Amino acid sequence: MADVATLTEMGFSAAHAEKALQATGHKGVEAAMEWLLTHPESSETQQAPSSPGKDGSAGSGEDASGAAAASGEGSADLKALSLMCQDCGQKLKSEMDCQRHAERTGHVNFAESSEAIKPLTAEQKQQQLEKLQQRLAEKKRENAERERKAMVEDEAKRRQSGKELAEIKRQREEMEMKRVMEETRRKKEEEKRHKEKVLAQIAKDKAEREAAFAAKKQGGAAVPAAAAPTPAPAPAAAAAASPAPAKAPATECKLQIRDPKFGTSTMQLKPTDTLAVVFAAVRASRGPGPIKLSTTFPKRTFTEAEAGLTLQDAGLVPSAVLMVS
């Protein structure tokens, strides 16, 4: 018990210190100290004086010599009135005080002493009280400094943790950006290859048409094998008079939606449907936010302000590829 050890250092016995702590409800050393100052420990029982002779006068010579002999024997065998630490010279009242002193200081050499521990005077008690108050003030300052250092350490740990979290977040964002850039580059390469393939097919068809036209002009020259068989030529007047056959209007519109976040999907709509249907389907997967639809060939961008356009008017019939951004 630290409070009992503190009070015994002030000169009070362990039993009296424990009694003071119990009387004050263990409210601390200061309250126990005030109780001890107002309730001093009872003094040691004084030795009873020697009794006079039968006639009221001092004893005879034999009695005096007997008293002297007894006094000599008493001086040879003095009564132990206290205990003393031989390591530091502090006087203690009981074995319990010696045990507490040994636990606190590590001293182990104790001996009995014939000197009684004198009770504290009022001045000594006041000095002990001031010393105790100074010690309590020092402990409060130490506790306050310890708490301040703990707060500084906690704040430093919090800032370090925040920096680590920010670095982890930055690395994740950088990895996500790299992934998006790689996906965008891959899709651009796919679009480029698709565009080159379409242009090559257009060039091939054009070359075949030119070859067929040249063969027809030369009067039945051989037609390339890759070209489709041409019908027998009609008379020039009939060909000039009859109009070219009208192309049947498309009844369906096939759209391929490419979203960098949610992949590729396909929609089968009617030419009379509006772009609002496409915007609604994209928003159902992406959530709120501005959306743009764009074609790569020919390049054109549609915003939600143009949602009223039909797919026919937007030039997306019979099929088209829309990029979502």
Side-chain angles (χ1 to χ4, degrees):
M1 297 175 61
D3 294 342
V4 175
T6 303
L7 292 172
T8 54
E9 288 181 359
M10 302 297 179
F12 301 101
S13 66
H16 203 46
E18 291 179 354
K19 183 177 180 181
L21 291 171
Q22 292 178 358
T24 56
H26 294 275
K27 294 182 179 179
V29 177
E30 189 172 357
M33 185 71 178
E34 293 179 358
W35 188 91
L36 289 170
L37 294 177
T38 56
H39 299 78
E41 190 174 8
S42 59
S43 61
E44 295 289 336
T45 305
Q46 300 295 330
Q47 186 176 358
S50 59
S51 58
K54 293 182 179 180
D55 56 352
S57 62
S60 61
E62 293 180 1
D63 296 336
S65 63
S71 176
E73 293 177 358
S75 61
D77 188 13
L78 297 177
K79 181 179 180 181
L81 301 178
S82 63
L83 298 172
M84 183 175 65
C85 176
Q86 294 180 344
D87 295 330
C88 64
Q90 183 177 350
K91 295 180 180 179
L92 305 167
K93 290 185 178 182
S94 64
E95 293 182 0
M96 184 178 295
D97 294 343
C98 293
Q99 292 178 1
R100 297 184 187 280
H101 182 76
E103 292 175 357
R104 186 174 64 257
T105 62
H107 298 167
V108 295
N109 298 318
F110 297 94
E112 294 181 346
S113 175
S114 60
E115 296 181 5
I117 299 177
K118 297 179 181 180
L120 298 176
T121 63
E123 183 179 358
Q124 290 175 339
K125 290 179 179 180
Q126 182 63 28
Q127 292 176 355
Q128 294 290 351
L129 179 60
E130 292 176 357
K131 183 178 179 181
L132 177 61
Q133 291 175 347
Q134 291 177 359
R135 185 176 299 178
L136 292 176
E138 290 177 359
K139 288 185 178 180
K140 288 181 180 179
R141 287 194 296 268
E142 291 176 358
N143 292 336
E145 181 65 17
R146 191 180 302 109
E147 291 178 357
R148 186 190 67 81
K149 290 182 179 180
M151 291 178 62
V152 172
E153 291 178 357
D154 292 343
E155 179 66 16
K157 291 180 180 179
R158 186 189 66 80
R159 292 183 179 181
Q160 182 65 24
S161 178
K163 290 181 181 179
E164 293 176 356
L165 292 176
E167 179 64 18
I168 293 173
K169 183 178 180 181
R170 185 192 66 78
Q171 292 178 358
R172 288 181 178 178
E173 291 177 351
E174 184 176 353
M175 292 175 62
E176 180 66 17
M177 185 177 295
K178 288 181 179 179
R179 187 191 66 79
V180 172
M181 291 176 63
E182 180 65 21
E183 183 70 15
T184 304
R185 184 190 62 80
R186 184 183 63 79
K187 290 183 177 181
K188 285 184 178 180
E189 290 179 355
E190 290 180 358
E191 292 174 1
K192 183 179 179 180
R193 289 195 296 268
H194 178 70
K195 184 177 180 180
E196 291 175 352
K197 184 177 180 181
V198 170
L199 292 176
Q201 185 66 35
I202 292 173
K204 181 180 179 181
D205 294 344
K206 183 178 179 181
E208 290 177 354
R209 287 195 300 270
E210 289 178 352
F213 180 75
K216 183 188 296 185
K217 189 175 181 180
Q218 291 177 2
V223 181
T230 57
S242 60
K247 188 177 180 180
T251 59
E252 291 182 350
C253 178
K254 185 177 182 180
L255 298 179
Q256 188 181 66
I257 312 299
R258 295 184 179 181
D259 193 328
K261 292 185 177 180
F262 301 95
T264 303
S265 60
T266 304
M267 297 182 66
Q268 196 81 18
L269 302 174
K270 295 180 179 180
T272 56
D273 291 337
T274 62
L275 288 173
V277 179
V278 183
F279 278 109
V282 174
R283 189 176 301 282
S285 59
R286 291 178 65 94
I291 298 174
K292 292 182 180 181
L293 303 176
S294 59
T295 59
T296 56
F297 185 80
K299 189 171 182 61
R300 184 175 178 182
T301 302
F302 301 96
T303 62
E304 293 185 79
E306 302 173 282
L309 286 176
T310 63
L311 302 181
Q312 184 73 42
D313 295 337
L316 303 179
V317 179
S319 64
V321 177
L322 294 177
M323 303 296 297
V324 181
S325 60

